[in-house]
Amino acid sequence: MLCLNNIAKKYKDKIALEHVSLELDNGIYGLLGPNGAGKSTLMNIITGNIKPSDGQVLWDGHDIKILGSKYRSIIGYAPQQQGLYDTFTGKRFLSYMATLKGIPKKDVSREIDRVLEYVNMTEAADRAIGTYSGGMKQRILIAQAVLGNPKLIVLDEPTVGLDPKERVRIRERISELAGDKVILVSTHVVSDIEPIAGEVILIKSGSIIDKDTVGNLCSKYGNVNGLEELYMTIFGEAKPDA
Ligand code: ADP
Ligand code: MG
């Protein structure tokens, strides 16, 4: 279980997060909020890539600072920017990531085949990443995030820039991951997570507004038909189309 204890993050004088406390059990969580709300900052803190200015992140009750590499070995993370190596083939990129993750040598090849299959990229595995479409790049990013079957999967805007068909495909892949894992998916596009998230975490200007099931959120905020309308009620604007 992942537990955030009163997390704050300041960038110089800019407060990006404050008083963020959350408990995440196994399941799929949508982290929903407009651009600049603090989603990526929160995900980078959860994955240990940046340090909070205050507060703690606990995994099964242990501070991740103390868990160190043990914690990193249970995380799968797909960052928002596609920092992919254009000259690498998909397979070589996955092999490189598998090494970084410390996946045992004897398992690497089978594991790469498994994740390629999972994102339906087996055919394109030997092509250079530079030749991939946006959707294919996202799928390879998701493939590396699930290498080694991590217990905690963090996907930062995995559907950004994708066409509607690819969106659905990515959504379905994510929903199949559910089970004995904590899965956190950020987006500013309601339809990406509404059908698959057990709970939605609403984030605005660095603060968590609420965390609940879609149904409960809709009834709590009164008379709204679905998450889309709720989003507009809370964030006061139509979501930008990604
Ligand atoms: P989101 O992912 O929801 O769009 P971010 O976490 O990227 O939000 O950003 C939250 C806030 O923190 C924004 O106001 C952003 O401008 C600011 N911010 C993010 N990263 C930095 C940084 N490295 N230095 C200064 N400000 C930052
Ligand atoms: Mg972001």
Side-chain angles (χ1 to χ4, degrees):
M1 187 215 260
L2 182 72
C3 183
L4 308 190
N5 227 335
N6 208 19
I7 295 285
K9 178 68 187 175
K10 286 196 198 88
Y11 294 110
K12 293 194 179 129
D13 51 1
K14 162 89 199 169
I15 296 172
L17 293 173
E18 54 182 347
H19 305 303
V20 173
S21 293
L22 284 172
E23 281 189 8
L24 307 184
D25 267 317
N26 290 338
I28 300 180
Y29 297 85
L31 180 61
L32 181 64
N35 287 326
K39 301 182 296 296
S40 295
T41 300
L42 185 59
M43 291 183 139
N44 274 302
I45 287 172
I46 288 173
T47 52
N49 292 319
I50 62 175
K51 290 194 170 55
S53 312
D54 205 355
Q56 296 168 297
V57 180
L58 307 176
W59 177 256
D60 285 343
H62 304 285
D63 193 321
I64 64 168
K65 278 191 299 210
I66 291 159
L67 290 175
S69 66
K70 221 189 221 167
Y71 180 63
R72 281 191 295 279
S73 72
I74 61 115
I75 302 177
Y77 172 51
Q80 183 172 356
Q81 296 89 0
Q82 298 196 351
L84 294 184
Y85 303 78
D86 277 0
T87 59
F88 278 30
T89 64
K91 207 168 206 167
R92 177 138 181 259
F93 170 67
L94 291 174
S95 151
Y96 171 70
M97 294 307 292
T99 307
L100 284 186
K101 286 185 167 194
I103 291 172
K105 255 205 171 103
K106 64 174 177 43
D107 300 335
V108 166
S109 157
R110 190 173 18 127
E111 186 57 11
I112 288 175
D113 288 346
R114 181 186 74 86
V115 300
L116 280 168
E117 189 82 3
Y118 167 68
V119 295
N120 203 6
M121 286 287 285
T122 305
E123 307 266 279
D126 294 318
R127 271 170 52 193
I129 290 175
T131 70
Y132 287 179
S133 69
M136 291 165 89
K137 285 184 180 177
Q138 277 304 353
R139 280 190 272 150
I140 276 288
L141 260 185
I142 291 175
Q144 66 75 29
V146 301
L147 274 173
N149 208 17
K151 287 275 184 200
L152 171 61
I153 297 179
V154 177
L155 307 174
D156 197 354
E157 306 228 25
T159 57
V160 81
L162 302 188
D163 63 40
K165 239 163 113 188
E166 276 284 2
R167 280 226 155 113
V168 173
R169 203 197 309 234
I170 296 279
R171 197 168 74 202
E172 285 169 355
R173 303 281 76 174
I174 295 169
S175 79
E176 284 164 20
L177 287 173
D180 58 343
K181 292 174 179 30
V182 176
I183 302 172
L184 183 63
V185 185
S186 76
T187 184
H188 58 273
V189 180
V190 168
S191 58
D192 282 348
I193 48 143
E194 182 161 20
I196 61 166
E199 288 194 335
V200 172
I201 300 158
L202 299 168
I203 183 169
K204 184 180 183 181
S205 310
S207 297
I208 305 295
I209 297 185
D210 213 332
K211 164 181 171 283
D212 213 330
T213 63
V214 172
N216 285 346
L217 286 172
C218 290
S219 49
K220 237 188 265 182
Y221 292 87
N223 234 357
V224 282
N225 299 308
L227 201 56
E228 190 76 52
E229 202 177 312
L230 176 71
Y231 188 97
M232 281 184 264
T233 309
I234 290 180
F235 299 109
E237 48 170 313
K239 62 160 183 62
D241 242 320

